[in-house]
Amino acid sequence: MLVMATPAIASAADYYVSPAGAGEKNGTSAENAWGIDELLEQFNSANAANFQNGDNVYFAAGKYVPTATLYVKMGINLIGAEGAERTVFNGDANGDGEINEGDRDRVFQINTAVGVGTTEKCVTITNIDFEGLYIAQGGNDTKGAIYLDNCGAEVTVSKCNFKDLVNTGQGANAFFSKRSTLKVVDCTFTGNKAANRGVVARLQGDIKKGWTTFERCLFADNEATGAAGDPCGIVMMQHGQQMNFVNCSFINNKVNGKGSCIWDGTAPDGNYSRILNVVSCTFADNSSAAEAEADQMEILLNAKSKANILNSIVLGGITAGDSIALQGNITDKTREEVFGDNVLTDGVLAPIAKNETMEGFAAAVEALDPAINPAADITLDQTGAVRENNVIGAYDFAPSAIDDNPDDGGDDTNAIKTVGAQNQQKVVYNLNGQRVTSGKKGIIILNGKKVVSSL
């Protein structure tokens, strides 16, 4: 039996993991890192409670293929490698190099069993990627890369990528969040497939729990493969108190059923508020094969849904309803009018249309901001740049690159394509995703675009 290297008194500690392990494999340093077998032992259902709130677990870069679930019961921080080499949890448990029966259907199960607003059991997962899981289910609600249950203390997942997760049944490939408070920031979800009910995430709650925020996230090239009458959506709020999307993009997603991007189609009741807030998001090039036109909407809501949709580009439509507040959105223009021939590039889709005057928009966003839970930063766009231009959608490009007179023959589309090099906001990252000073030379990421800097 492995013994966790935990001090005799209850204090936070650092642990280290690498795919093969190192040295004595006791987890006390990078030179003595746990390997995958030791990791599974320390994170089994019995030992998971031995961690202390505030403990840090550092994962070296490389591929990890767990053969069992890793349980999280305390408020710990799971931290992957920064840089070009990523920490990757791969589901290929049967070792055949294919995504199929016998592969892992879950990586982490998080259950901190505390009430809403508790702070001492907050969990964070940072810089860890998930790929190649295979979930064979017809309604099993305990699967997905990260399964959360009864986590009243906030679980924050940031700078993670979820790709090529396959589900033959009811979605939730990345997250099945039940009775929990979940915040997802700076993450991407690409190439995932499920039959229905929220390809990427399915959210449930109870009378007091069920709060979720997606901030600065990209949902692209995901697919729901079920029947035309199935409730779908790339993200689905089945039950819950509140679901929020701030500065997110939904691009090139395809569903065979109802609701091409967000499904919140059940009426609120005494137990579930089911409030939806969408602020400064972009929905484009998505499709639904549902039979009824009303079911093909990008955002499918119940007629009695409580929703606020502000400053967003929603080309595929929004369900109408008495309790749905719409302000400052683009919903009735063609793709060419809004984006020209621009395509998804470096995680963002740049519009070509200059923003029209939106009287009262700033006040509406300011009024809504305190109500978003978990909180999100509405002052930044999807790339992390400070919003200074009040552009509709997730990407706040520099308006100086836009022709003020679209009828004078100016080449607006080309201007947008080069906006990354012209933008003077100077929000700069290196190719590893780390923020750096604006004077860095070489290839940098400036406001979401790769440019060559000679400064």
Side-chain angles (χ1 to χ4, degrees), residues 209-232:
K209 297 179 181 178
W211 307 79
T212 304
T213 293
F214 291 91
E215 179 181 3
R216 300 195 301 273
C217 292
L218 170 67
F219 303 82
D221 300 306
N222 303 290
E223 183 177 1
T225 59
D230 288 349
C232 290

Side-chain angles (χ1 to χ4, degrees), residues 160-180:
C160 298
N161 303 302
F162 299 80
K163 67 176 184 178
D164 300 331
L165 309 177
V166 176
N167 190 325
T168 62
Q170 297 179 359
N173 294 14
F175 300 103
F176 190 97
S177 181
K178 183 185 299 183
R179 302 185 298 168
S180 296

